[in-house]
Amino acid sequence: MGYKVVVAGATGNVGREMLNILDERQFPVDEIAVLASRRSQGTEVSFGDKTLKIKDIEQFDWTGWDIALFAIGSDATKIHAPKAAAAGCVVIDNSSLYRYDADVPLIVPEVNPDAIQGYAKKNIIANPNCSTAQMVVALKPLHDRARIKRVVVSTYQSVSGAGKEGMDELWDQTKGMYVPGQEKEPKKFQKQIAFNVIPQIDVFMEDGATKEEWKMVAETKKIMDKSIKVTATCVRVPVFVGHSESINIEFEDFLDEDEARDILREAPGVMVIDKREPGGYITPVECVGEYATYVSRIRQDGTVENGLNLWCVSDNLRKGAALNAVQIAELLGNRILKKG
């Protein structure tokens, strides 16, 4: 006996990836429904060898459904998640709406699986921001060994983090650089993204940080340890899929780079590719379609006491969003619902 599963936002990048991963990981699905806004009703999406028709989320009856994976943005989630939760369907939400709610667990299964027990307060579980998810997977095993005091992270985030519109803008602007008359002005992003980098993701806050940078700080504290100090600079780069991060870590105790490499090799969800030779590291192009969070360039930082540097790369549509949501569903099934 399996689960009755809903994917809300099934026409978007993350929703389609959720369907792919449910199929790839052979999640025990008895019945599946795919939802989106009314304008997408009747659109077809793939689930394994099946073709499913989109239903209107406004008209959907949540009664009797077990798990809903939401990828519909905060505004729509605010309307529909409470309805689903009230009907007894556990919502796993990919938006930022519930991440900072004390009554909603924010989960990365490799990092804080025990937090799943808190789901019952609202019948909702939050999926973290894509840039946070991959970072904490890499940080947690090192924190367990040497206690992290401070993290300085600079991100290199792909345009898929801004959805299909972001990917289209990079494609169209790149073509427009070479084809006279097809030039494209920035629309989704604040400045030209083709052949450029933009040090702004989301809106600016009063202290000069952007909302994306604030998310990384707040979520790392909630998922891992509120005593860790985090400072982030988040940058959009002209890459279609795959977020990269340069992470500088300061520990309470000394941690040798070789021991750190060994710890990460054994850590769940981490793949270490770290050869000190040309090309002996992972780039975003190579991580697309993969489940792992890749770590490279592990090395001592001699400018601070007990410092390490590393390079972290992951497919943001997978570990940063859809994969993490499905892993939460697996955790929920194994520990709580126990149907599959």
Side-chain angles (χ1 to χ4, degrees), residues 50-271:
K50 298 189 183 87
T51 300
L52 308 174
K53 285 200 172 175
I54 296 289
K55 296 178 180 177
D56 178 7
I57 193 169
E58 299 285 347
Q59 305 299 320
F60 189 71
D61 181 1
W62 297 95
T63 310
W65 293 87
D66 297 306
I67 299 171
L69 306 179
F70 269 51
I72 56 175
S74 294
D75 292 343
T77 297
K78 195 180 225 173
I79 297 166
H80 300 292
K83 293 180 185 175
C89 179
V90 182
V91 173
I92 300 169
D93 176 36
N94 197 61
S95 81
S96 61
L97 183 63
Y98 292 105
R99 289 177 189 157
Y100 317 106
D101 186 325
D103 291 334
V104 175
L106 178 65
I107 294 178
V108 176
E110 297 94 334
V111 177
N112 62 335
D114 293 343
I116 195 81
Q117 300 295 336
Y119 88 98
K121 289 179 182 173
K122 287 195 174 176
N123 238 19
I124 297 170
I125 301 166
N127 210 23
N129 186 39
C130 47
S131 48
T132 306
Q134 70 186 68
M135 183 171 78
V136 296
V137 167
L139 292 182
K140 178 60 163 61
L142 302 177
H143 182 57
D144 288 346
R145 160 63 181 81
R147 308 303 297 172
I148 294 171
K149 287 168 60 177
R150 182 171 183 256
V151 175
V152 181
V153 56
S154 297
T155 71
Y156 307 75
Q157 293 178 227
S158 66
V159 294
S160 57
K164 184 177 182 297
E165 291 174 340
M167 298 177 80
D168 288 346
E169 189 156 307
L170 173 57
W171 176 252
D172 291 339
Q173 277 187 357
T174 303
K175 282 194 300 182
M177 302 286 282
Y178 295 100
V179 183
Q182 288 194 20
E183 296 85 0
K184 293 280 181 182
E185 290 298 311
K187 196 168 168 187
K188 181 67 178 175
F189 299 113
Q190 302 84 1
K191 299 199 176 196
Q192 174 187 311
I193 185 61
F195 304 97
N196 199 18
V197 299
I198 303 171
Q200 179 193 348
I201 300 177
D202 213 325
V203 296
F204 278 97
M205 304 181 74
E206 282 186 15
D207 66 353
T210 64
K211 188 81 178 284
E212 185 83 356
E213 291 157 358
W214 176 85
K215 288 176 192 173
M216 291 195 76
V217 175
E219 293 174 24
T220 302
K221 287 174 176 288
K222 183 172 178 178
I223 294 166
M224 276 183 56
D225 187 334
K226 63 180 184 295
S227 69
I228 297 174
K229 294 177 180 177
V230 182
T231 181
T233 301
C234 294
V235 182
R236 191 72 73 189
V237 297
V239 169
F240 282 110
V241 178
H243 287 358
S244 305
E245 297 170 348
S246 170
I247 307 174
N248 176 264
I249 314 161
E250 189 176 351
F251 297 92
E252 288 183 10
D253 301 321
F254 177 75
L255 179 59
D256 178 75
E257 63 189 35
D258 292 325
E259 185 183 355
R261 203 173 284 111
D262 290 341
I263 289 168
L264 288 167
R265 283 201 177 103
E266 298 299 317
V270 176
M271 183 74 72

Side-chain angles (χ1 to χ4, degrees), residues 284-296:
V285 167
E286 296 154 287
C287 80
V288 175
E290 300 292 333
Y291 288 152
T293 294
Y294 289 90
V295 178
S296 307

Side-chain angles (χ1 to χ4, degrees), residues 4-26:
K4 292 181 70 176
V5 177
V6 179
V7 175
T11 56
N13 287 343
V14 173
R16 288 175 188 271
E17 204 62 43
M18 285 171 170
L19 290 167
N20 291 338
I21 293 169
L22 285 166
D23 177 60
E24 284 174 19
R25 293 175 74 90
Q26 298 184 310

